[in-house]
Coordinates of all heavy atoms in Angstrom, one line a residue:
M1 N 5.6 -11.1 -16.6 CA 4.5 -10.0 -16.6 C 3.6 -10.2 -15.4 O 3.1 -9.3 -14.8 CB 3.7 -10.1 -17.9 CG 2.8 -8.9 -18.0 SD 3.7 -7.3 -18.0 CE 3.1 -6.6 -19.5
N2 N 3.3 -11.5 -15.0 CA 2.5 -11.7 -13.8 C 3.0 -11.1 -12.6 O 2.2 -10.7 -11.7 CB 2.3 -13.2 -13.6 CG 1.1 -13.8 -14.4 OD1 0.3 -13.0 -14.8 ND2 1.0 -15.1 -14.5
I3 N 4.3 -11.0 -12.4 CA 4.9 -10.5 -11.2 C 4.5 -9.0 -11.1 O 4.3 -8.5 -10.0 CB 6.4 -10.7 -11.2 CG1 6.9 -10.4 -9.8 CG2 7.2 -9.9 -12.1 CD1 7.9 -11.3 -9.2
I4 N 4.5 -8.3 -12.2 CA 4.1 -6.9 -12.2 C 2.6 -6.7 -11.7 O 2.3 -5.9 -10.8 CB 4.3 -6.2 -13.5 CG1 5.8 -6.2 -13.9 CG2 3.6 -4.8 -13.6 CD1 6.0 -5.7 -15.3
I5 N 1.8 -7.6 -12.2 CA 0.3 -7.5 -11.9 C 0.2 -7.9 -10.4 O -0.6 -7.2 -9.6 CB -0.5 -8.5 -12.7 CG1 -0.5 -7.9 -14.2 CG2 -1.9 -8.6 -12.2 CD1 -1.0 -8.8 -15.2
K6 N 0.9 -8.9 -9.9 CA 0.9 -9.2 -8.5 C 1.3 -8.1 -7.6 O 0.7 -7.9 -6.5 CB 1.7 -10.5 -8.2 CG 1.1 -11.8 -8.7 CD 2.0 -13.0 -8.4 CE 1.3 -14.2 -9.0 NZ 2.1 -15.4 -8.7
H7 N 2.4 -7.4 -8.0 CA 2.8 -6.2 -7.2 C 1.8 -5.1 -7.2 O 1.5 -4.5 -6.2 CB 4.2 -5.7 -7.7 CG 5.3 -6.4 -7.1 ND1 5.8 -7.5 -7.6 CD2 6.1 -6.0 -6.1 CE1 6.9 -7.9 -6.9 NE2 7.1 -6.9 -6.0
I8 N 1.1 -4.9 -8.3 CA 0.1 -3.8 -8.4 C -1.1 -4.2 -7.5 O -1.6 -3.4 -6.8 CB -0.3 -3.6 -9.9 CG1 0.8 -3.0 -10.6 CG2 -1.6 -2.7 -9.9 CD1 0.6 -3.0 -12.1
E9 N -1.5 -5.5 -7.5 CA -2.6 -5.9 -6.7 C -2.2 -5.8 -5.2 O -3.0 -5.4 -4.4 CB -2.9 -7.4 -7.0 CG -3.6 -7.5 -8.4 CD -4.9 -6.8 -8.5 OE1 -5.7 -6.7 -7.5 OE2 -5.2 -6.2 -9.6
L10 N -1.0 -6.1 -4.9 CA -0.5 -6.0 -3.5 C -0.6 -4.5 -3.1 O -1.0 -4.1 -2.0 CB 0.9 -6.5 -3.3 CG 1.5 -6.5 -1.9 CD1 0.6 -7.2 -0.9 CD2 2.9 -7.0 -1.9
I11 N -0.1 -3.6 -3.9 CA -0.1 -2.2 -3.6 C -1.6 -1.7 -3.5 O -1.9 -0.9 -2.5 CB 0.6 -1.4 -4.7 CG1 2.1 -1.6 -4.7 CG2 0.3 0.1 -4.6 CD1 2.9 -1.0 -5.8
K12 N -2.5 -2.2 -4.3 CA -3.9 -1.9 -4.1 C -4.5 -2.3 -2.8 O -5.2 -1.6 -2.2 CB -4.7 -2.5 -5.3 CG -4.5 -1.7 -6.6 CD -5.0 -2.5 -7.8 CE -6.5 -2.6 -7.9 NZ -7.0 -3.2 -9.1
Q13 N -4.1 -3.5 -2.4 CA -4.5 -4.0 -1.1 C -4.0 -3.2 0.1 O -4.7 -2.8 1.0 CB -4.1 -5.5 -0.8 CG -4.8 -6.5 -1.6 CD -4.3 -7.9 -1.2 OE1 -3.2 -8.3 -1.6 NE2 -5.0 -8.6 -0.4
I14 N -2.7 -2.9 0.0 CA -2.1 -2.0 1.0 C -2.7 -0.7 1.0 O -3.1 -0.1 2.1 CB -0.6 -1.9 0.8 CG1 0.1 -3.3 1.0 CG2 0.1 -0.8 1.7 CD1 1.6 -3.4 0.6
D15 N -2.9 -0.1 -0.1 CA -3.6 1.3 -0.2 C -4.9 1.3 0.4 O -5.2 2.2 1.2 CB -3.7 1.7 -1.7 CG -4.5 2.9 -1.9 OD1 -4.0 4.0 -1.4 OD2 -5.6 2.8 -2.5
Q16 N -5.7 0.3 0.1 CA -7.1 0.2 0.7 C -7.1 0.2 2.2 O -7.8 0.9 2.9 CB -7.9 -1.0 0.1 CG -9.3 -1.1 0.6 CD -10.2 0.0 0.2 OE1 -9.9 0.7 -0.8 NE2 -11.3 0.2 0.9
S17 N -6.2 -0.7 2.8 CA -6.1 -0.8 4.2 C -5.5 0.4 4.9 O -6.0 0.9 5.9 CB -5.3 -2.0 4.6 OG -5.9 -3.2 4.2
V18 N -4.6 1.1 4.2 CA -4.0 2.3 4.8 C -5.0 3.4 4.7 O -5.2 4.2 5.7 CB -2.7 2.7 4.0 CG1 -2.3 4.1 4.4 CG2 -1.6 1.7 4.2
R19 N -5.8 3.5 3.6 CA -6.8 4.5 3.5 C -7.9 4.3 4.6 O -8.4 5.3 5.1 CB -7.5 4.3 2.1 CG -8.3 5.5 1.6 CD -8.6 5.3 0.2 NE -7.5 5.2 -0.7 CZ -6.7 6.2 -1.0 NH1 -6.9 7.4 -0.5 NH2 -5.7 6.0 -1.8
L20 N -8.2 3.1 4.9 CA -9.2 2.8 6.0 C -8.6 2.9 7.4 O -9.3 2.7 8.4 CB -9.9 1.5 5.7 CG -10.7 1.4 4.4 CD1 -11.2 -0.1 4.2 CD2 -11.9 2.3 4.5
Q21 N -7.3 3.0 7.4 CA -6.5 3.0 8.7 C -6.9 1.7 9.5 O -7.1 1.7 10.7 CB -6.8 4.2 9.5 CG -6.4 5.5 8.8 CD -6.6 6.7 9.6 OE1 -7.2 6.7 10.7 NE2 -6.1 7.9 9.1
T22 N -6.8 0.6 8.8 CA -7.1 -0.7 9.5 C -6.0 -1.7 9.3 O -6.3 -3.0 9.3 CB -8.4 -1.3 8.9 OG1 -8.3 -1.5 7.5 CG2 -9.6 -0.4 9.2
T23 N -4.8 -1.3 9.2 CA -3.7 -2.2 8.9 C -3.3 -3.0 10.2 O -2.9 -4.1 10.0 CB -2.5 -1.5 8.4 OG1 -1.9 -0.7 9.4 CG2 -2.8 -0.7 7.1
G24 N -3.4 -2.4 11.3 CA -2.9 -3.1 12.5 C -1.4 -3.0 12.6 O -0.8 -2.2 11.8
S25 N -0.8 -3.8 13.4 CA 0.7 -3.7 13.5 C 1.3 -4.2 12.2 O 0.7 -4.9 11.4 CB 1.1 -4.6 14.6 OG 0.9 -6.0 14.3
P26 N 2.6 -3.8 12.0 CA 3.3 -4.3 10.8 C 3.3 -5.8 10.7 O 3.1 -6.4 9.6 CB 4.7 -3.7 10.9 CG 4.5 -2.5 11.8 CD 3.4 -2.8 12.7
E27 N 3.6 -6.5 11.8 CA 3.6 -8.0 11.8 C 2.2 -8.5 11.4 O 2.1 -9.4 10.6 CB 4.0 -8.5 13.2 CG 5.4 -8.1 13.6 CD 5.5 -6.7 14.2 OE1 4.5 -6.0 14.4 OE2 6.6 -6.3 14.5
G28 N 1.2 -8.0 12.0 CA -0.2 -8.5 11.7 C -0.6 -8.2 10.3 O -1.3 -9.0 9.7
F29 N -0.2 -7.0 9.8 CA -0.6 -6.6 8.5 C 0.1 -7.5 7.5 O -0.5 -7.9 6.5 CB -0.2 -5.1 8.3 CG -0.8 -4.5 7.0 CD1 -2.0 -4.9 6.5 CD2 -0.1 -3.5 6.4 CE1 -2.5 -4.3 5.3 CE2 -0.5 -2.9 5.2 CZ -1.8 -3.3 4.7
A30 N 1.4 -7.7 7.7 CA 2.1 -8.6 6.8 C 1.5 -10.0 6.8 O 1.3 -10.6 5.7 CB 3.6 -8.7 7.2
C31 N 1.1 -10.5 7.9 CA 0.5 -11.8 8.0 C -0.9 -11.8 7.3 O -1.2 -12.8 6.5 CB 0.3 -12.2 9.5 SG -0.4 -13.8 9.7
Q32 N -1.6 -10.8 7.5 CA -2.9 -10.6 6.8 C -2.7 -10.6 5.3 O -3.6 -11.2 4.5 CB -3.6 -9.3 7.2 CG -4.8 -8.9 6.5 CD -5.3 -7.5 6.9 OE1 -4.9 -7.0 7.9 NE2 -6.1 -6.9 6.0
L33 N -1.7 -10.0 4.8 CA -1.4 -10.0 3.3 C -0.7 -11.2 2.8 O -0.6 -11.4 1.6 CB -0.5 -8.8 3.0 CG -1.1 -7.4 3.3 CD1 0.0 -6.3 3.2 CD2 -2.2 -7.1 2.3
G34 N -0.3 -12.1 3.7 CA 0.4 -13.3 3.3 C 1.8 -13.1 2.8 O 2.3 -13.9 2.0
I35 N 2.5 -12.1 3.4 CA 3.9 -11.8 3.0 C 4.7 -11.6 4.3 O 4.1 -11.5 5.4 CB 4.0 -10.5 2.1 CG1 3.4 -9.3 2.9 CG2 3.2 -10.7 0.8 CD1 3.6 -8.0 2.1
S36 N 6.0 -11.5 4.1 CA 6.8 -11.3 5.3 C 6.8 -9.8 5.7 O 6.5 -9.0 4.8 CB 8.3 -11.7 5.0 OG 8.9 -10.9 4.0
K37 N 7.2 -9.6 6.9 CA 7.3 -8.2 7.3 C 8.3 -7.4 6.5 O 8.1 -6.3 6.2 CB 7.7 -8.1 8.8 CG 7.7 -6.8 9.4 CD 7.9 -6.9 10.9 CE 8.7 -5.7 11.5 NZ 9.1 -5.8 12.9
A38 N 9.4 -8.1 6.2 CA 10.5 -7.5 5.3 C 9.9 -7.1 4.0 O 10.2 -6.0 3.5 CB 11.7 -8.4 5.2
K39 N 9.1 -8.0 3.4 CA 8.5 -7.6 2.1 C 7.6 -6.5 2.2 O 7.5 -5.6 1.3 CB 7.8 -8.9 1.4 CG 7.3 -8.5 0.1 CD 6.8 -9.8 -0.7 CE 6.3 -9.3 -2.1 NZ 6.1 -10.5 -2.9
L40 N 6.8 -6.5 3.3 CA 5.9 -5.3 3.5 C 6.6 -4.0 3.5 O 6.2 -3.1 2.8 CB 5.1 -5.5 4.8 CG 4.3 -4.3 5.3 CD1 3.1 -4.1 4.3 CD2 3.7 -4.5 6.7
Y41 N 7.7 -4.0 4.2 CA 8.5 -2.7 4.3 C 9.1 -2.4 2.9 O 9.3 -1.2 2.6 CB 9.5 -2.8 5.4 CG 8.9 -2.5 6.7 CD1 8.8 -3.4 7.7 CD2 8.5 -1.2 7.0 CE1 8.2 -3.1 9.0 CE2 7.9 -0.9 8.2 CZ 7.8 -1.8 9.2 OH 7.2 -1.5 10.4
R42 N 9.5 -3.4 2.2 CA 10.1 -3.2 0.8 C 9.0 -2.5 -0.1 O 9.3 -1.6 -0.8 CB 10.6 -4.4 0.2 CG 12.0 -4.8 0.7 CD 12.6 -5.9 -0.1 NE 11.8 -7.1 -0.4 CZ 11.8 -8.2 0.4 NH1 12.6 -8.2 1.5 NH2 11.1 -9.2 0.1
V43 N 7.8 -3.1 0.0 CA 6.7 -2.5 -0.9 C 6.4 -1.1 -0.4 O 6.2 -0.2 -1.2 CB 5.5 -3.4 -0.8 CG1 4.3 -2.8 -1.6 CG2 5.8 -4.8 -1.4
I44 N 6.3 -0.9 0.9 CA 6.0 0.5 1.4 C 7.1 1.5 1.0 O 6.8 2.6 0.6 CB 5.9 0.4 3.0 CG1 4.5 -0.2 3.3 CG2 6.0 1.9 3.5 CD1 4.3 -0.4 4.8
E45 N 8.4 1.0 1.0 CA 9.5 1.9 0.5 C 9.3 2.2 -0.9 O 9.6 3.3 -1.4 CB 10.8 1.3 0.8 CG 11.2 1.4 2.3 CD 11.2 2.8 2.9 OE1 11.7 3.7 2.2 OE2 10.6 3.0 3.9
M46 N 8.9 1.2 -1.7 CA 8.7 1.4 -3.2 C 7.5 2.4 -3.4 O 7.6 3.3 -4.2 CB 8.3 0.1 -3.8 CG 8.1 0.3 -5.3 SD 7.7 -1.3 -6.2 CE 6.3 -1.8 -5.3
M47 N 6.5 2.3 -2.6 CA 5.4 3.2 -2.6 C 5.8 4.6 -2.3 O 5.4 5.6 -2.9 CB 4.2 2.8 -1.8 CG 3.5 1.5 -2.2 SD 2.4 0.8 -1.1 CE 1.0 2.0 -1.1
K48 N 6.7 4.8 -1.3 CA 7.2 6.1 -0.9 C 8.0 6.7 -2.0 O 7.9 7.9 -2.2 CB 8.0 6.0 0.4 CG 7.2 5.7 1.6 CD 8.1 5.7 2.8 CE 7.3 5.5 4.1 NZ 8.2 5.5 5.3
T49 N 8.7 5.9 -2.8 CA 9.5 6.5 -3.9 C 8.5 7.0 -5.0 O 8.9 7.8 -5.8 CB 10.5 5.4 -4.6 OG1 9.7 4.4 -5.1 CG2 11.5 5.0 -3.6
L50 N 7.3 6.5 -5.0 CA 6.2 7.0 -5.9 C 5.4 8.1 -5.2 O 4.3 8.4 -5.7 CB 5.3 5.8 -6.3 CG 6.0 4.7 -7.1 CD1 5.1 3.5 -7.2 CD2 6.5 5.2 -8.5
D51 N 6.0 8.7 -4.1 CA 5.4 9.8 -3.4 C 4.2 9.5 -2.5 O 3.4 10.3 -2.2 CB 5.0 10.9 -4.4 CG 6.2 11.5 -5.0 OD1 7.3 11.6 -4.4 OD2 6.1 12.0 -6.2
A52 N 4.0 8.2 -2.1 CA 3.0 7.9 -1.2 C 3.5 8.3 0.2 O 4.5 7.8 0.7 CB 2.7 6.4 -1.2
P53 N 2.7 9.2 0.9 CA 3.1 9.7 2.2 C 2.7 8.7 3.4 O 2.0 9.1 4.3 CB 2.4 11.0 2.3 CG 1.2 10.8 1.5 CD 1.5 9.9 0.4
I54 N 3.2 7.5 3.3 CA 2.8 6.5 4.3 C 3.7 6.7 5.6 O 4.9 6.8 5.5 CB 3.0 5.1 3.8 CG1 2.1 4.8 2.5 CG2 2.7 4.0 4.8 CD1 2.3 3.5 1.9
E55 N 3.0 6.6 6.7 CA 3.6 6.6 8.0 C 2.9 5.6 8.9 O 1.8 5.2 8.6 CB 3.4 8.0 8.7 CG 4.0 9.2 7.9 CD 3.7 10.5 8.6 OE1 3.0 10.5 9.6 OE2 4.3 11.5 8.1
Y56 N 3.6 5.2 10.0 CA 2.9 4.3 10.9 C 2.6 5.1 12.1 O 3.4 5.9 12.7 CB 3.9 3.2 11.4 CG 3.2 2.2 12.3 CD1 2.2 1.3 11.8 CD2 3.4 2.2 13.6 CE1 1.5 0.4 12.6 CE2 2.8 1.3 14.5 CZ 1.8 0.5 14.0 OH 1.1 -0.4 14.8
D57 N 1.3 5.1 12.5 CA 0.8 5.8 13.7 C 0.6 4.8 14.9 O -0.3 4.0 14.9 CB -0.5 6.5 13.4 CG -1.0 7.3 14.5 OD1 -0.6 7.1 15.7 OD2 -1.8 8.2 14.2
P58 N 1.6 4.8 15.8 CA 1.4 3.8 16.9 C 0.3 4.0 17.8 O -0.2 3.1 18.5 CB 2.8 4.0 17.7 CG 3.3 5.3 17.3 CD 2.7 5.7 16.0
T59 N -0.3 5.2 17.9 CA -1.5 5.5 18.7 C -2.7 4.7 18.2 O -3.5 4.3 19.1 CB -1.8 7.0 18.9 OG1 -2.0 7.5 17.6 CG2 -0.6 7.7 19.5
I60 N -2.9 4.6 16.9 CA -4.0 3.9 16.4 C -3.6 2.5 15.9 O -4.4 1.8 15.3 CB -4.8 4.7 15.4 CG1 -3.9 5.0 14.1 CG2 -5.4 5.9 15.9 CD1 -4.7 5.5 13.0
E61 N -2.3 2.2 16.0 CA -1.7 0.9 15.5 C -2.1 0.7 14.0 O -2.7 -0.4 13.7 CB -2.1 -0.2 16.4 CG -1.5 -0.1 17.8 CD -1.8 -1.4 18.6 OE1 -2.5 -2.3 18.2 OE2 -1.3 -1.4 19.7
S62 N -1.8 1.6 13.2 CA -2.1 1.5 11.7 C -1.2 2.4 10.9 O -0.8 3.4 11.4 CB -3.6 1.9 11.5 OG -3.9 1.7 10.1
F63 N -0.9 1.9 9.7 CA -0.2 2.7 8.7 C -1.3 3.7 8.3 O -2.5 3.4 8.2 CB 0.3 1.9 7.5 CG 1.5 1.1 7.9 CD1 1.4 -0.2 8.2 CD2 2.8 1.7 7.8 CE1 2.5 -1.0 8.5 CE2 3.9 1.0 8.1 CZ 3.8 -0.4 8.5
I64 N -0.8 5.0 8.0 CA -1.8 6.0 7.6 C -1.1 6.8 6.4 O 0.1 6.7 6.2 CB -2.1 7.0 8.7 CG1 -0.9 7.7 9.2 CG2 -2.9 6.3 9.8 CD1 -1.2 8.9 10.1
Y65 N -1.9 7.5 5.7 CA -1.4 8.5 4.8 C -1.3 9.9 5.5 O -2.3 10.3 6.1 CB -2.2 8.7 3.5 CG -2.1 7.5 2.6 CD1 -3.3 6.8 2.2 CD2 -0.9 7.1 2.1 CE1 -3.2 5.7 1.3 CE2 -0.8 6.0 1.2 CZ -1.9 5.4 0.8 OH -1.8 4.3 0.0
A66 N -0.1 10.5 5.5 CA 0.1 11.8 6.2 C -0.7 12.9 5.5 O -1.0 13.9 6.1 CB 1.5 12.2 6.2
K67 N -1.0 12.7 4.2 CA -1.9 13.7 3.5 C -2.7 12.9 2.5 O -2.4 11.7 2.2 CB -1.0 14.8 2.8 CG 0.0 14.2 1.8 CD 0.8 15.4 1.3 CE 2.0 14.8 0.4 NZ 2.9 15.8 0.0
T68 N -3.8 13.5 2.0 CA -4.7 12.8 1.1 C -4.0 12.6 -0.3 O -3.5 13.5 -0.9 CB -6.0 13.7 0.9 OG1 -6.5 13.9 2.2 CG2 -7.0 12.9 0.1
V69 N -4.1 11.3 -0.7 CA -3.5 10.9 -2.0 C -4.5 9.9 -2.6 O -5.4 9.4 -1.9 CB -2.1 10.3 -1.9 CG1 -1.1 11.4 -1.4 CG2 -2.1 9.2 -0.9
A70 N -4.3 9.6 -3.8 CA -5.0 8.5 -4.5 C -4.1 7.7 -5.3 O -3.1 8.2 -5.9 CB -6.1 9.1 -5.5
F71 N -4.3 6.4 -5.3 CA -3.5 5.4 -6.1 C -4.4 5.0 -7.3 O -5.5 4.4 -7.0 CB -3.1 4.2 -5.3 CG -2.3 3.2 -6.2 CD1 -1.1 3.5 -6.7 CD2 -3.0 2.0 -6.4 CE1 -0.4 2.5 -7.5 CE2 -2.3 1.0 -7.2 CZ -1.1 1.3 -7.7
I72 N -4.0 5.2 -8.5 CA -4.8 4.8 -9.7 C -3.8 4.2 -10.6 O -2.8 4.7 -11.0 CB -5.5 6.0 -10.3 CG1 -6.4 6.7 -9.4 CG2 -6.2 5.6 -11.6 CD1 -7.0 8.0 -9.9
F73 N -4.2 3.0 -11.1 CA -3.4 2.3 -12.1 C -4.3 1.6 -13.0 O -5.2 0.8 -12.6 CB -2.4 1.3 -11.4 CG -1.5 0.7 -12.4 CD1 -0.3 1.3 -12.7 CD2 -1.8 -0.5 -13.1 CE1 0.6 0.8 -13.7 CE2 -1.0 -1.0 -14.1 CZ 0.3 -0.4 -14.3
G74 N -4.1 1.8 -14.3 CA -4.9 1.1 -15.3 C -5.2 2.1 -16.5 O -4.7 3.2 -16.5
F75 N -6.0 1.6 -17.4 CA -6.3 2.4 -18.6 C -7.8 2.8 -18.4 O -8.7 2.1 -18.0 CB -6.1 1.6 -19.8 CG -4.7 1.2 -20.1 CD1 -4.1 0.1 -19.6 CD2 -3.9 2.1 -20.7 CE1 -2.8 -0.2 -19.9 CE2 -2.6 1.9 -21.0 CZ -2.0 0.7 -20.5
Y76 N -8.0 4.1 -18.8 CA -9.4 4.6 -18.7 C -9.7 5.3 -20.1 O -8.8 5.8 -20.8 CB -9.4 5.7 -17.6 CG -9.1 5.1 -16.3 CD1 -7.8 5.0 -15.8 CD2 -10.1 4.5 -15.5 CE1 -7.5 4.4 -14.6 CE2 -9.8 3.9 -14.3 CZ -8.5 3.9 -13.9 OH -8.2 3.3 -12.7
K77 N -11.0 5.3 -20.4 CA -11.4 5.9 -21.7 C -11.3 7.4 -21.5 O -11.7 8.0 -20.5 CB -12.8 5.5 -22.0 CG -13.0 4.1 -22.4 CD -14.4 3.8 -22.7 CE -14.6 2.3 -23.0 NZ -16.0 2.0 -23.4
E78 N -10.8 8.0 -22.6 CA -10.8 9.5 -22.6 C -12.1 10.0 -23.1 O -12.7 9.4 -24.0 CB -9.7 10.0 -23.5 CG -8.3 9.8 -22.9 CD -7.2 10.5 -23.7 OE1 -7.5 10.8 -24.9 OE2 -6.1 10.6 -23.2
N79 N -12.6 11.1 -22.6 CA -13.9 11.6 -23.1 C -13.6 12.7 -24.1 O -12.7 13.3 -24.2 CB -14.6 12.3 -21.9 CG -15.1 11.2 -20.9 OD1 -15.4 10.1 -21.4 ND2 -15.2 11.5 -19.7

């Protein structure tokens, strides 16, 4: 079960950096996250299967969202 939580936390970290457009290069971003570049791309591909419109913009050297999206995971009280 811990592995699922670790993946969700990693996705949350990636999402935050992508949203702020502060990821830097893929190599640097992977290093910042403490994972390999290959794992970074595997997680990004997984996020894309969940409809995350992630792209890399070489002009600003950051991953970006091509359109506005939100990542929400957890339980919330219904009103």
Side-chain angles (χ1 to χ4, degrees):
M1 191 60 128
N2 270 345
I3 192 138
I4 294 171
I5 293 169
K6 286 181 182 181
H7 272 83
I8 292 167
E9 289 300 320
L10 180 58
I11 291 171
K12 286 168 68 174
Q13 282 183 286
I14 292 170
D15 172 67
Q16 181 68 21
S17 293
V18 171
R19 197 170 299 289
L20 295 172
Q21 298 182 355
T22 59
T23 67
S25 70
E27 295 84 4
F29 190 35
C31 184
Q32 173 189 338
L33 294 168
I35 60 175
S36 69
K37 184 176 150 186
K39 181 169 183 170
L40 171 64
Y41 278 111
R42 283 194 304 272
V43 175
I44 287 173
E45 285 305 312
M46 179 180 59
M47 291 171 71
K48 286 181 177 184
T49 65
L50 297 170
D51 296 326
I54 298 176
E55 299 176 354
Y56 185 73
D57 185 337
T59 59
I60 63 170
E61 294 186 356
S62 182
F63 287 96
I64 62 167
Y65 287 124
K67 57 185 173 185
T68 304
V69 293
F71 175 72
I72 300 171
F73 186 87
F75 293 93
Y76 300 90
K77 292 181 181 179
E78 290 186 342
N79 291 330

